[in-house]
Amino acid sequence: MGDEERLLKREISFILQFNEHDSEFCTRYLTYRNANIFRQTLITSIPFRIDIGAEFNLHLKNREAKIALTPKRREYIIDIDMNDYDGIRTCCVGKKLCNSCWKFMEAAYKVLREVLYEVFGFQKILWVFSGRRGMHAWICDHEAMDLESMERKSITNFLNVTVNNDKSDRLVTPESLAKYRSVRLFQMCEKILLPYESFLFEEQNFLGHEKRGQGNFERIQSVLKRHCKESGADYFDEDYLRVKHQIINNQSVDPKNVSPRMFQYMINKYHQILVNKQENDKNFTENVEELVRKFKFEIIVGFLYPKIDSAVSSHTNHLLKAPFNIHSSSLLLSVPVDPENFDIKQIPSLQDIIDGKASILQYNNNIRMFVNRLQETSQKNKLEKTNLSEQLIKPNSQKVNA
């Protein structure tokens, strides 16, 4: 199928606003046969935002004839937003983003990059800063593009292993935790996320923070209490301020550095509870060190594992903001980035571009190189299929000639 033919089946959506006093409105199912026509439309309509949808089974003009249209192909999309980390991060609140809390995104990126490649074989992934405080992954491998909705949902369910409920005594789903040592996904998570322990408890001051420390402590304590119950051991709640002041006074710790000591205190306490259980209960045959490791695994993975928007990933026809949009709130450009080398201060704003203080050339080059790589892979796949066909046909031809 030619590029033009496919473009006429690919949905583009505009959010428009004629003036600042009017409400925004959405125009869907737009198509453009080439880049020049698309460019001219942008100049004349000046959309507030551009979204990209699915590639449908028929030209989208057939909507007017009320012919059934079905979304057939689309990148597998992962959308991660910092608002899902608001109960965890302590450096910023609300719409703000800094390089410290971006490390939650960096950790998510490292996990997803590893899992998407090692488990599913996906390699062609474009990572895009959303423009405010999030990150989008566009997985463009042919196998990802052709996924059915149920397959997308299955992959998304596989990737979603955490419990995002502040009132729950679980951070990781029971199914995931039960097989955390035997499933490759969790072995990768443990390897990637454990180095971020110091970031969580020291840099983010997770348990020592004046406003959020107590809530975080109580959440971990509820998880610890459940682990004790599952091990047949008793646990009695600790008072946050008492533990905090005890560590500060007894260990001569600066209040700013109390968070990692508090986490270690909880780990040590669980270990001692299990040792006591082992000494007093002959029927207790569990491996103490393994149980402690499992508890720590749930805490680290539960708080640092990627928090994925399931609706965006699971549905073929879900719209997502295109790269190079200007975010309406931050006025920052949504651009392709390397999440490991991200610096929010280097992201160009609309005003920077207008004033000539920033260039988008490097980001254009990033997109161009990514597209070239996709096209090279596509051409290579065609050649491999052709060669394979020739190899399959040749023996048959010889037999016929014989």
Side-chain angles (χ1 to χ4, degrees), residues 162-339:
T162 56
V163 176
N164 297 320
N165 180 355
D166 291 342
K167 299 187 183 301
S168 174
D169 62 357
R170 291 187 179 278
L171 293 172
V172 176
T173 62
E175 302 81 10
S176 301
L177 198 60
K179 52 192 178 184
Y180 91 103
R181 292 285 279 133
S182 59
V183 177
R184 196 175 178 190
L185 168 65
F186 303 116
Q187 293 169 357
M188 288 187 282
C189 286
E190 196 170 33
K191 176 185 174 183
I192 294 167
L193 295 179
L194 279 179
Y196 283 87
E197 180 182 341
S198 61
F199 157 71
L200 182 64
F201 290 103
E202 293 178 31
E203 187 173 327
Q204 286 290 313
N205 194 22
F206 190 65
L207 293 176
H209 191 264
E210 185 177 345
K211 293 182 178 179
R212 302 187 186 180
Q214 182 166 351
N216 293 333
F217 177 87
E218 290 171 356
R219 183 83 194 275
I220 293 178
Q221 184 166 240
S222 70
V223 176
L224 175 53
K225 193 172 183 177
R226 193 199 83 239
H227 275 262
C228 286
K229 184 178 179 181
E230 291 173 352
S231 303
D234 294 324
Y235 177 83
F236 299 98
D237 287 345
E238 294 261 26
D239 179 73
Y240 169 73
L241 291 177
R242 188 195 68 78
V243 172
K244 185 176 182 179
H245 292 147
Q246 176 182 315
I247 292 173
I248 291 172
N249 296 330
N250 292 355
Q251 300 183 25
S252 300
V253 177
D254 186 323
K256 294 180 181 178
N257 301 322
V258 74
S259 178
R261 302 290 183 94
M262 292 186 74
F263 183 48
Q264 191 59 50
Y265 172 88
M266 300 177 90
I267 292 173
N268 292 344
K269 179 165 184 175
Y270 183 42
H271 185 273
Q272 189 58 53
I273 288 171
L274 293 174
V275 168
N276 293 341
K277 175 74 175 174
Q278 194 175 52
E279 291 175 350
N280 298 315
D281 185 352
K282 293 181 180 180
N283 295 320
F284 183 78
T285 58
E286 300 282 354
N287 184 317
V288 170
E289 301 303 325
E290 185 60 29
L291 290 175
V292 172
R293 181 180 178 181
K294 190 175 182 181
F295 164 69
K296 185 175 180 179
F297 170 88
E298 180 168 4
I299 300 303
I300 300 299
V301 172
F303 286 122
L304 290 172
Y305 188 85
K307 302 184 186 307
I308 297 168
D309 187 329
S310 296
V312 174
S313 299
S314 299
H315 303 295
T316 311
N317 63 342
H318 203 292
L319 295 171
L320 189 70
K321 181 170 57 181
F324 294 99
N325 270 275
I326 298 290
H327 197 283
S328 59
S329 175
S330 69
L331 298 183
L332 294 177
L333 195 64
S334 172
V335 289
V337 294
D338 173 2

Side-chain angles (χ1 to χ4, degrees), residues 18-75:
F18 289 125
N19 61 64
E20 60 182 357
H21 303 294
D22 289 338
S23 299
E24 300 171 12
F25 65 95
C26 178
T27 57
R28 293 197 59 178
Y29 304 107
L30 306 172
T31 59
Y32 303 93
R33 65 175 65 251
N34 59 50
N36 288 332
I37 296 174
F38 180 56
R39 182 175 182 274
Q40 288 302 317
T41 305
L42 294 180
I43 293 171
T44 55
S45 60
I46 314 178
F48 203 55
R49 167 174 160 165
I50 307 165
D51 287 340
I52 299 177
E55 182 182 316
F56 284 75
N57 58 326
L58 299 168
H59 289 192
L60 292 182
K61 65 181 181 181
N62 288 313
R63 279 188 75 249
E64 298 173 2
K66 296 186 178 180
I67 297 174
L69 292 173
T70 306
K72 297 297 290 183
R73 301 180 82 244
R74 175 182 181 100
E75 299 81 3

